[in-house]
Structure formats: C-alpha cells, structure tokens
Amino acid sequence: MDTSSKENIQLFCKNSMQPIGGTSFKTEYSSSKKQQPCCGELKVFLSALSFVYFAKALAGGYLKSTITQIERRFEIPSSLVGVIDGSFEIGNLLVITLVSYFGARLHRPKIIGAGCLIMGIGTLLTAMPQFFMEQYKYERYSSFSNSTLTISPCLLESNSQLPISVMENSHTKINNGCVQTVAIIGPIFGFLLGSLCAKLYVDIGFVNLDHITITPKDPQWVGAWWLGYLIAGILSLLAAVPFWCLPKSIPRPRSREDSNSSSEKSKFIMDDHTDYQTPLGEKAKIMEMARDFLPSLKNLFGNPVYFLYLCASTVQFNSLFGMVTYKPKYIEQQYGQSTSKANFVIGLINIPAVALGIFSGGIVMKKFRISVCGAAKIYLGSSVLGYLLFLSLFALGCENSDVAGLTVSYQGTKPVSYHERALFSDCNSRCKCSETKWEPMCGENGITYASACLAGCQNSTRSGKTIMFYNCTCVGITASISGNSSGMVGRCQKDNGCPKMFLYFLVISVITSYTLSLGGIPGYILLLRCIKPQLKSFALGIYTLAIRVLAGIPAPVYFGVLIDTSCLKWGFKRCGSRGSCRLYDSNAFRHIYLGLTMMLGIMSIFLSIAVLFTLKKNYVSKHRSFRTKRERTMVSTRIRKENCTTSDHLLQPNCWPGKETQL
C-alpha cells in the first residue's frame, strides 16, 4: 500500500495463472461475457484501494492536527509530541521492506487487507489514553455561577488558599489517478475533522457543558482530540473488508496487454525488460527470492541517480514533515489564532493547493511528454522557486505579546530578562502568588499577566463564563492607566497589524505549497525511469522506507526539541515536574521554525542539482552507446542483406559464368 498505487493496480491485473504450453488466448478474451467480471473486479479493487488511501491519509492528517491538543491534555513538551508523531511511522519499519519485495509475488489483496486491520486497530489504540488517564483538570478562581459573588485573587493566595479546580470526567463514546486523488483528499478531511473536534470539549457527552468556564480561545482549552481517532480507526477497519473477497489476480484485457503507451515503461534504462513475475504454473519460491534480496539492494544503491534522488528526497521530506507537523502550533503562537482555526485554514487552503500542484505537475508531464532530464529540471525548479517564496515568510511575523515579567516589564518597557523570578514585582509582592500558575489575565493597559494574582487584583466578579478582575495594582502603575484598574480572563490580542500579517502569511503559504508540490509527479517519474523495471516495486519500497526512517521519524523530534528552546513560560504538573509550554518567544520560534525548514530545503536543492548532472551524464552516455549499437546493427543487417542478395543473384545459372569450372 505504501509503495505505489500504480504498482498495486498493474500487478493485481497481471495474470499469473496463464495455462502452460501453446493454449490459445481465445478462450480468455474472445467472449465479452468473460471480460465483464474482470472489469468488475478491477473496479472493486480500485474503489477499495482508493478508500484505503483515504482512510490512511485522513488518519495521518488528523494526527498532525491534534499536536497542540495532546500537548495540553497530557502536559508534555513539543519534543515528546514529536516522538509520538514520529512513532506513527515506526510500525511500518518492521514490514515495509519485506512487503515491498515479497508482496508483489504473493496474494496482494489479502496483504493489503491485513495491513488495513492492523492500521485500524492501531488508530483506535491511539485514542485509548484519554480513557485510562486521570480526569482532565483546568484551574479557575471560582466555579460559582452567582454573579453577585466577589472574591479577591490576591487575598485568597495571600492566605495560602488554592483556586478551586473544575474537574470533568471523560469516558469513551462513540483507473490509477483516482487513487492518488483520494489520497490527497484524505488529509483535507483529516484537518477539517481536527478543526471540528477542537471546538468540542474534551469530555463532551459526559459533563454538563454549562459548567465549563473556558472557551476554545482559552489557552487551557482541550478539544475532543480522541474522537477523530475513533472515526479514522473504524474507517480503516471497514476498508479491509473488500480485499478479503478479491482473487490474487485477474486477466488483463488484450488491449491493455498490447499497449505500448504505458507511462511506466522506462525510456532511460536500455536493458531488456524481463518479467519478474513467477514462472507460469509455479508457486513463489520464498528462499530463492530471499537470496536475490541483497543483490537487488546492491543493484539499487549502485545506481547513482537513484541514490542521489533518494538523498535529495529524504532531506526535503525532513523539511516538509517538520514544517507540516508544527504548522498549526506556529499559526497559534505566531498569529494568536485558535487551534480550530489553524486546522481549518490548513485543511481548506493549504492542502488543496498541494493537490492542485501535484495535479498540475502530472498534466505538464503528460501533455508535453517531458523527458527524464526535463522531469529532473522541473523537480529542481519547483524546489528552488518554492523555497525562495518560503524565504519571504521571515518578514511576515508578529511581535511578542506584551506579557508582564516575561516579554515586558511591569512598567510596560522592553526588553526584560527571561527569568521566572521576573514575574514578581513590587506591585504584587504582598500577594504571595504562585510562579508556576498560568491563568492569563488581560489588563486594560493591553498587557497580559500570568495570573490575576500576579496582576495584584484585589477582587473579582463572575457573570456566566466571564470573569472580571478589579483594583489590579500592577495594571494601574503603567503610564497609560492611572489609579486602580481592571482586567478580564484570557490573553490580550496581538497587535493590530497581526491579522493583516496572518492574511499575507496564508497567501504566501498557499503559493509556496503549490510550487513545491509541482515537482511531485516529475520526481516520481524520475524515480521510476532511473531503475530497471524488475526492481521497480522494490525500489519504491526502499524509497518509502528511507523517507519514513530518515525523515518521518526524526524530523518531528528534532524540530520539537529546537522549538522548545524558544519557550518563555513552562507549565507544571501537580507532581511538580515540567509540563507543556504556555508561552513562546514569537521571534525565536519564527527563526527556528522557518530557519530549520529553509536550511534543509537548501540542502535538498544542492542534492537535486547533483541528480540532474548525474542524470545528464548517464543519459547521454547510455544513448550514445545505444546509438552506436544500433548503427552497428543496421550496418551488419545491411551487409547481410547485400550478401544475401548477391548470393541469390549468383545462384542463378545465367549469372554464374564458369559454373562448372568453379565447381
């Protein structure tokens, strides 16, 4: 399933059960009645395979959309979330090479069906921690609904009293182009599903939502992250059903057998094509295939074009995997958007741009019949232009939010030393506040405070889900506000220019996504044409394995580790250990996130240049050798024809003077 949809379709259609000897094909193709079941089974296979790709892509896209939700729910840093994201690929490592090598020779539909079952069970298990962990808790100063009740955040904590916790219980409830298209549609629905689930409270269906005092815009909000995994898991289990009813292979119509226009036919490799299906009437010999494994692997890595393209793709996918994994977090932290909105714009804008780019690349390759060298040039050009556009994102960031004691001083001046003790000031010294709490309050002066206590607020009132704080001494000391001042629960909005920056970011991001994906199909064609046909399935398997092992697993981890270095305020668990990050340095986050992506992209460009030069060198030499052989063959054929003509002419008695003498 991970090698190629085109491989699955063609090898499934290949009839490996043809009769031995000189039996005519008439009995197989003469009757239209016998062609109908073949076409019907092929359509079933295509439909089932498309649904599998959709379910797999939906699960992968949904995983990316739940990164920040999982962080907050389980109080873990980005580096550990990166490990969780990378572990999504680890399961493939045990079987992907063997499946790609042996799968083409065994019962492929059943192998795909078994993979769907495993994938579905694994996806369902991903949601299980929600139901075995302790209840999700978020802290607020009051859980009372009486709007006339007033409390003093500062005095409460000065008396060593803790805020009242609100706890909610949680329980469980609840033809080849088409395949690639569905695989692209899957992540769109995955992110849109993530956007929907992010709006639903994590314990929806088991608590009274009227008692929930936070909203999706609150930094402590956690959506129903587990719900999407249950949906994706059920879809994967359903996708496995049709494959258990399909035969190992079906006869291919003669028109398909006789066609010479197959897009997969190599125009670069001049070796004769040898059928790597098992001999007619023989069963697959596992031991013989196993003995060919290492020689085949050596043959692949001995191909310089394949090896360099593999390196270029691996480095580029490191860039792309890291970028996509933390893109929702980047939008949240950089532009102050909610998790739901971040997932929505990615699913509705970015991924369709990727799909359009892949489709456009395929149209260009087909319409203009681009050569292998042309495909390599398109692949390189799309990368160069895409990363040049990506470079402009460095200028489209927002400044840090004004957070007292973290990004600005309590007097509102910048900068400030990033140290936990900076959270304390003369204006809140008598309150004896906790420095580990993160219950942000937005003051009238536009500055965010880590908590109402640290803002020096003397009392508060609540009306519905809105909590207002009054007589906040730290808010009143700024130059713009005089006397006692007030504030309300939540972080202050970013500066006025940030929404415009976010719009520009979306536009550039869409164009960049389209440009980078434009080289997807040309790169795929380059991969297919630079290897021998009998090694194609194996080469795709090794390619997929390398991408997963060297990009899919490590990229989210080291991206997360570096992103954690930009954290300004860490949360803490009840046991005292460090939890997830509450506030990032926007400038440092932007430079790390964009800079690392750009650096990896530049490395992949240099490797792509090496691919193009190596390809040109090999392509020219092989065609020159081929032309020499062809010319020699034509000369020898012409000489043989002339000799044959001469000999035929001499054999005539009237043209053979002195025949008797010669004899």
Side-chain angles (χ1 to χ4, degrees), residues 419-454:
H419 191 273
E420 291 290 348
R421 298 304 299 179
L423 289 174
F424 296 101
S425 179
D426 293 338
C427 61
N428 58 28
S429 59
R430 64 185 180 86
C431 295
K432 297 182 180 179
C433 306
S434 170
E435 62 182 356
T436 63
K437 299 291 184 183
W438 178 251
E439 298 159 347
M441 185 210 79
C442 179
E444 286 185 356
N445 55 2
I447 297 178
T448 300
Y449 297 86
S451 67
C453 178
L454 289 170

Side-chain angles (χ1 to χ4, degrees), residues 101 572 612:
Y101 186 70
F572 289 88
L612 182 59

Side-chain angles (χ1 to χ4, degrees), residues 360-576:
S360 300
I363 291 295
V364 170
M365 288 294 296
K366 182 177 181 181
K367 184 174 182 179
F368 297 99
R369 299 181 179 180
I370 306 295
S371 64
V372 179
C373 288
K377 291 177 182 178
I378 295 176
Y379 178 77
L380 174 61
S382 67
S383 296
V384 172
L385 182 58
Y387 284 108
L388 283 177
L389 290 169
F390 188 84
L391 191 63
S392 64
L393 295 180
F394 280 94
L396 300 179
C398 295
E399 292 297 323
N400 283 316
S401 299
D402 291 339
V403 181
L406 293 176
T407 61
V408 296
S409 66
Y410 275 86
Q411 288 73 32
T413 59
K414 299 179 182 180
V416 68
S417 176
Y418 300 148
H419 191 273
E420 291 290 348
R421 298 304 299 179
L423 289 174
F424 296 101
S425 179
D426 293 338
C427 61
N428 58 28
S429 59
R430 64 185 180 86
C431 295
K432 297 182 180 179
C433 306
S434 170
E435 62 182 356
T436 63
K437 299 291 184 183
W438 178 251
E439 298 159 347
M441 185 210 79
C442 179
E444 286 185 356
N445 55 2
I447 297 178
T448 300
Y449 297 86
S451 67
C453 178
L454 289 170
C457 298
Q458 303 299 315
N459 50 42
S460 65
T461 60
R462 175 185 170 187
S463 177
K465 294 184 178 182
T466 303
I467 300 178
M468 295 294 299
F469 301 96
Y470 301 98
N471 300 325
C472 304
T473 56
C474 292
V475 177
I477 65 174
T478 58
S480 59
I481 301 293
S482 59
N484 294 331
S485 302
S486 62
M488 62 182 300
V489 169
R491 291 170 58 175
C492 298
Q493 295 294 322
K494 292 269 188 176
D495 57 86
N496 295 332
C498 200
K500 185 181 294 184
M501 285 292 185
F502 179 56
L503 180 61
Y504 294 154
F505 168 82
L506 290 181
V507 173
I508 299 297
S509 179
V510 167
I511 299 175
T512 302
S513 299
Y514 173 82
T515 305
L516 288 174
S517 59
L518 198 62
I521 295 299
Y524 179 77
I525 297 300
L526 171 63
L527 175 65
L528 290 178
R529 292 184 180 178
C530 74
I531 53 179
K532 296 180 180 179
Q534 61 267 31
L535 295 176
K536 184 167 52 180
S537 178
F538 186 44
L540 289 171
I542 294 297
Y543 174 82
T544 306
L545 176 66
I547 295 300
R548 292 180 183 277
V549 174
L550 303 178
I553 295 175
V557 177
Y558 64 76
F559 263 80
V561 170
L562 292 176
I563 287 173
D564 280 341
T565 62
S566 64
C567 184
L568 295 177
K569 180 69 174 72
W570 288 98
F572 289 88
K573 302 178 183 178
R574 288 187 301 168
C575 61

